Amino acid sequence: MVIRKTKIAASLSQAVFWGGVAAAMLPALGAAQTAPATTAAATAPSASGASGSTGDQPQNIAQAQTGAPATATQAPVASPDEPAVEQVIVTAQSRTQAAQAVPISLQVITMQSLDKLQATNLSSINGYVPGLTVDGTEPTQPEYTIRGISNADFGVGTDSPVGVYVDGVYSGKNGGALLNFNDIQRVEVLMGPQGTLFGRNSAAGAISIVTNEPTHDFDASATVRVENYGTEYLAGMLNMPIADHLAARISLVTDQSNGWITNQYNNTQFGNTNDWGTRMQLLWDGLPNTKVVLGWEHEVLDQHPVEDIGIVNPPALGAAGPLYPNIPNSDYINPVNAPLYNDVMGGRENRNFDGVTLRVTHDFGWAEFGSTTAYRHYSSFNRNDRDGTDDIWTYFDTANIEGNTSWQQEFTLKGKTELVDWVSGASLYFEHANQASQLNTFTDTLNTLFNNDAGLPLYSILQGLSGATGAGLNFFGLPWQETMYNHGDYRAQAIYGDLIWHLTPQIDLTTGARFTQDEKEMSWYEPDRTATALDSNLNSPAGMALLQAIATGQAAPFGIPQIPLAVLNQLLRQNVLLQTTNDSVTPFTTSKSWSDFSPRAVLAYHPEPNTMIFGSVTQGYQAGGFNTVQVNSAFAPETVTNYEIGVKTTIPAYRLLLSASVFDYKFNDLQSLNLVPSNNPLSPPAYQVVSSNESAKGLDFQARWRPVRPMTLYFTSEYINQRYDNDTAADGTVLNGAPVGTPFWTAATGVDYVWHDLIHGGSVDLTVQGTYTGPTRCNADSAETGGCLQTSAFDYGEATHRIDFRLGWDAPDHSWGLALFVNNVFNDRYVIGLDLISATKLGTPAAQVTPPRTIGLEATMHL
């Protein structure tokens, strides 16, 4: 412990020292220091659009792009009837800038846009940010994908290449990253590697969630929604001044529903939600140029596990050999219309999350100092059926139990001169993680496995012999559990700097770099299975006599083959399902460390005030790690280099915003979570991180147009061609140049029309939005393993689309409003996930599907 503290203290001292040196030297580079420019305040947009919003008040575009104070000539007064082109303000580069002025491909979703989608968390906006996918079917184990790069972050030894940040605080493991939107201001989605400013584990991109801080003005609001399937949603906020320099903000959100699919096993409803959370913040600004914000966030989720719907008719009892993937095409059934049979014992998905954040800022005049101290802790439990049947002969479930605690500290120092806009910082991150990965079944299922694999129905043999000899022992219906325990201690430290050089009034050059050091320690412990009832039988005098009779051949008259006692004990008393390389019957611990240097260089040219052309070279880094179910199995860090050229322009005369970029990136040792077959014929496949080299070329495009004052149109899309560079699948399939699976095209579009002074002086707002995702691009391996499964009943990986509708009325003073909404208007349903864990051994593949159409009413109040 002394050594660790000394290293941490030394790293912190070095980070603060070098950050201070950079901060002290940078002002001298300018010809003269200037006072910090007044921050352009974000406006309160009211119209929809996943990439921004529009409103009635124009904003000076030149000021938002350059950060220069507006003058009388820069900010002409617009006619009240003149349609405005409004900029969205972001902090994507740790600076306050207009989105159109940031030389990064990004999309911004305001809270107003989220409300029009009835979005409750990041997974609710799937499709509306092309290039971003958030799979939230299991909220304690979500998967984030940006530009085709993802890692489900299944185990405590892995990380995600998509960093999720809330008010600049890294969310850590994905198990605590998918929380409800709670009094947020906006979501910024940054495409491509963000290693310089956001750091480790943002190799594919970053998602920055910005919440609302307390203010010194009284404010209160509430939103209530009721929908079909018994859905009830409530969000409330109260902001109040307490003293001259003290204010508080409290918010609450709760999301409850009965579920949309009936479990035929016990007539309960699945697909339900049961989630609530609160955030409390205090603002104190009693010292000159100083602001302190202390916040606490708490969330509780407790609901049924994800619905695993069987996609084949259950196999006949005693059928020999694996049935999948060689199931006849005609045996598949469409899970969209199929019944749900879920017999999981004690199945739940729950999580308790707590977070505390202290943010301090102080303006020295020549620079602004910032400190963010954050603590996060969550505990989660997710036990779910994995066979899609209610037959005990094929019963199989898994449980993931996690406990995670992290602590973060970041210091920043930033300022601006006539020559350079600069940011420097140092960060420390500590994480303590525990995980138990369970496989749960019954002796009945083991009997099926033994019979399928070797024609040896062992428990039938024991049961028959017990009956023939009068032993009176029962060997069926007895629970069997195998568990892998993992523990991880991780540390990361980094220093970084980023400078925007104003080379000429039209040309900016950004140079930045981050140095990161990761240290990880991981342990594995795999004790023998837990089977208390079975052990009671085996250890009884009658049970020991049965085993001895089989081992010595005395059971041969009953038609039972002779089986050596060592083989019997191995099959009956040791792990069967969870047999890994280098089994660890005692805890095994190892550690590794990695270092990374992630630079970026961006050249931006402004041919005229409302247009920017940029080119960038950026690098990103994701730390290496360990597979949780393979003892002492480590994988290397992944790195990405991205080349991008883009343009952003605003055309006030046409009230039009456009942005487009082309990118070309290359990944080395890209970490992907795959279902890998086990070497043990009885063990099911296991999720493991597999590394590959990949490259992609693509295009991002966004447009937002306001042809007339009441109407806003938007369109966003992404094209990507992602391929393997040099890779071989686990089954030996050569994938050089093969498509990875990412669809060529994703797109979203929408229209928003507002009728002002229509009903009782209020406004009526009509919003229609839609998304499209192209078909999965198959390769030889994905077709073989089910990633592109095509059957007579359904296709997995087909193109998807949906349309959403909302009609709302808002009072003239915006004090209250009503709305009718329909999500998934045409009730389009798709298979969105395959569960193949039990497929190869039991012939019981399952699937998850998209929920049906929802219809609801919303009421809002604002004081």
Side-chain angles (χ1 to χ4, degrees), residues 770-840:
T771 70
Y772 169 81
T773 300
T776 300
R777 300 178 63 206
C778 301
N779 57 53
D781 180 60
S782 61
E784 180 68 22
T785 58
C788 288
L789 183 63
Q790 295 183 341
T791 74
S792 57
F794 69 93
D795 291 339
Y796 176 60
E798 64 179 317
T800 65
H801 52 81
R802 82 177 225 191
I803 299 292
D804 297 320
F805 164 90
R806 184 182 188 273
L807 181 65
W809 177 85
D810 195 25
D813 59 355
H814 307 292
S815 59
W816 65 286
L818 297 171
L820 166 70
F821 58 87
V822 183
N823 287 333
N824 190 13
V825 172
F826 298 105
N827 201 30
D828 296 311
R829 308 287 303 282
Y830 303 99
V831 179
I832 56 172
L834 287 182
D835 192 340
L836 306 181
I837 293 179
S838 67
T840 56

Side-chain angles (χ1 to χ4, degrees), residues 263-571:
N263 181 13
Q264 303 299 320
Y265 173 71
N266 56 12
N267 205 36
T268 57
Q269 292 296 109
F270 271 57
N272 70 315
T273 55
N274 184 18
D275 196 359
W276 72 272
T278 184
R279 177 183 288 114
M280 303 180 185
Q281 297 186 85
L282 285 175
L283 165 68
W284 180 75
D285 53 8
L287 293 177
N289 304 318
T290 301
K291 182 174 70 173
V292 179
V293 178
L294 175 65
W296 170 66
E297 184 175 4
H298 177 69
E299 183 166 326
V300 176
L301 178 145
D302 187 11
Q303 59 195 38
H304 287 308
V306 65
E307 57 287 347
D308 239 28
I309 305 171
I311 57 175
V312 296
N313 293 310
L317 177 63
L323 303 180
Y324 184 86
N326 297 318
I327 302 172
N329 198 293
S330 58
D331 282 358
Y332 285 97
I333 56 178
N334 188 346
V336 171
N337 305 313
L340 171 67
Y341 296 98
N342 190 309
D343 59 352
V344 61
M345 307 295 292
R348 298 296 298 171
E349 182 169 18
N350 57 48
R351 176 185 58 211
N352 286 272
F353 174 91
D354 285 282
V356 178
T357 305
L358 175 65
R359 301 193 302 275
V360 181
T361 58
H362 178 76
D363 192 346
F364 291 104
W366 60 273
E368 181 181 274
F369 169 80
S371 172
T372 300
T373 307
Y375 165 86
R376 299 287 184 268
H377 173 78
Y378 72 85
S379 58
S380 65
F381 176 87
N382 184 7
R383 184 172 181 179
N384 185 35
D385 184 78
R386 295 297 184 187
D387 60 271
T389 74
D390 61 349
D391 190 340
I392 196 171
W393 295 98
T394 53
Y395 182 97
F396 185 71
D397 81 64
T398 65
N400 182 67
I401 307 167
E402 285 190 43
N404 188 285
T405 301
S406 63
W407 178 82
Q408 304 168 60
Q409 176 63 57
E410 183 162 8
F411 298 108
T412 60
L413 198 62
K414 56 186 176 182
K416 179 184 293 186
T417 72
E418 291 181 354
L419 176 63
V420 64
D421 182 338
W422 56 273
V423 175
S424 62
S427 67
L428 295 173
Y429 177 81
F430 303 90
E431 183 180 345
H432 177 82
N434 290 293
Q435 181 177 25
S437 303
Q438 293 181 352
L439 304 181
N440 300 289
T441 189
F442 286 91
T443 50
D444 311 67
T445 302
L446 295 175
N447 195 68
T448 303
L449 285 173
F450 294 152
N451 186 46
N452 281 359
D453 177 64
L456 182 67
L458 181 58
Y459 290 93
S460 292
I461 291 173
L462 289 171
Q463 188 67 42
L465 184 59
S466 174
T469 60
L473 298 178
N474 175 40
F475 287 94
F476 286 116
L478 309 181
W480 176 289
Q481 181 183 92
E482 301 181 21
T483 307
M484 172 70 81
Y485 296 94
N486 299 109
H487 171 76
D489 281 306
Y490 314 126
R491 297 170 294 278
Q493 45 210 0
I495 57 174
Y496 62 92
D498 194 73
L499 303 90
I500 303 177
W501 302 91
H502 306 304
L503 301 183
T504 73
Q506 290 79 35
I507 299 177
D508 293 333
L509 173 64
T510 302
T511 57
R514 176 185 289 253
F515 177 78
T516 305
Q517 184 179 39
D518 274 291
E519 302 174 49
K520 291 190 175 185
E521 182 179 277
M522 180 79 166
S523 70
W524 296 259
Y525 174 45
E526 182 191 348
D528 283 338
R529 92 291 183 268
T530 299
T532 305
L534 176 61
D535 284 341
S536 178
N537 283 348
L538 296 178
N539 295 332
S540 68
M544 297 178 66
L546 292 179
L547 297 181
Q548 191 66 29
I550 296 174
T552 58
Q554 298 176 16
F558 300 99
I560 298 174
Q562 183 176 355
I563 305 174
L565 187 61
V567 175
L568 287 174
N569 284 328
Q570 181 178 3
L571 296 177

Side-chain angles (χ1 to χ4, degrees), residues 626-688:
F626 309 92
N627 281 307
T628 54
V629 296
Q630 287 293 332
V631 179
N632 196 25
S633 60
F635 46 85
E638 70 177 40
T639 58
V640 59
T641 302
N642 182 56
Y643 301 89
E644 193 152 347
I645 299 174
V647 59
K648 296 186 177 184
T649 185
T650 303
I651 309 174
Y654 293 96
R655 300 169 293 274
L656 178 66
L657 274 72
L658 295 172
S659 63
S661 64
V662 293
F663 57 88
D664 186 337
Y665 67 72
K666 181 178 178 61
F667 265 97
N668 291 321
D669 295 316
L670 175 65
Q671 301 165 14
S672 302
L673 194 67
N674 293 349
L675 199 59
V676 178
S678 171
N679 293 326
N680 174 24
L682 296 176
S683 300
Y687 283 106
Q688 298 182 33

Side-chain angles (χ1 to χ4, degrees), residues 571-583:
L571 296 177
L572 296 171
R573 299 180 185 272
Q574 299 178 18
N575 287 341
V576 173
L577 305 173
L578 190 62
Q579 291 191 358
T580 70
T581 305
N582 303 322
D583 289 354

